[in-house]
Amino acid sequence: QVQLVESGGGLVQPGGSLRLSCAVSRISTSSAATYDMGWHRQAPGKQRELVASITVGNSAKYADSVKGRFTISKGSAQNTVYLQMNGLIPEDTGVYYCNAKEASYLRRDFWGQGTQVTVSS
């Protein structure tokens, strides 16, 4: 099991940039489990959607709405996941959640508390 804590959200003007961070820590050190990581967001009145993911093997995928603007990456120590967001538009507004999915057939999910991103003039 892992604990996830997001940070880096805030208010930004259209066309601006933000970098979100997700700190990953193990709850049980006896487990050898590995995780695929992702960023999801939930806009007001909408369902939560996957915006970016990165596998244990560092294969990244993006929602069509953010391709070319967002980049997901891992820190060198493998205990931090970043989401670099460029060219932000008002439609990017929402609560962004870090997600860890167990890299096994069980595919258990773990979630952070979320961080607010607001894109407005």
Side-chain angles (χ1 to χ4, degrees):
Q1 295 183 328
V2 292
Q3 182 180 55
L4 309 174
V5 180
E6 302 98 330
S7 63
L11 175 64
V12 65
Q13 293 184 337
S17 298
L18 285 173
R19 188 175 75 163
L20 306 183
S21 298
C22 175
V24 183
S25 60
R26 286 188 176 274
I27 297 174
S28 175
T29 57
S30 65
S31 175
T34 56
Y35 300 88
D36 296 327
M37 305 298 300
W39 286 95
H40 295 66
R41 70 185 179 191
Q42 188 163 25
K46 296 184 178 180
Q47 294 183 329
R48 187 176 299 186
E49 63 174 341
L50 175 67
V51 298
S53 65
I54 186 165
T55 67
V56 173
N58 290 324
S59 177
K61 294 184 177 181
Y62 302 91
D64 289 341
S65 60
V66 306
K67 284 182 178 178
R69 300 189 296 119
F70 290 10
T71 303
I72 188 170
S73 62
K74 300 177 183 177
S76 59
Q78 304 293 299
N79 59 1
T80 308
V81 181
Y82 302 101
L83 184 68
Q84 179 67 47
M85 305 186 294
N86 299 323
L88 286 163
I89 59 177
E91 290 73 20
D92 294 322
T93 294
V95 178
Y96 283 69
Y97 297 90
C98 184
N99 165 252
K101 187 179 294 292
E102 200 171 48
S104 74
Y105 72 96
L106 295 176
R107 306 297 285 171
R108 291 182 293 184
D109 279 302
F110 303 89
W111 296 90
Q113 82 290 342
T115 184
Q116 176 71 43
V117 172
T118 303
V119 184
S120 176
S121 299

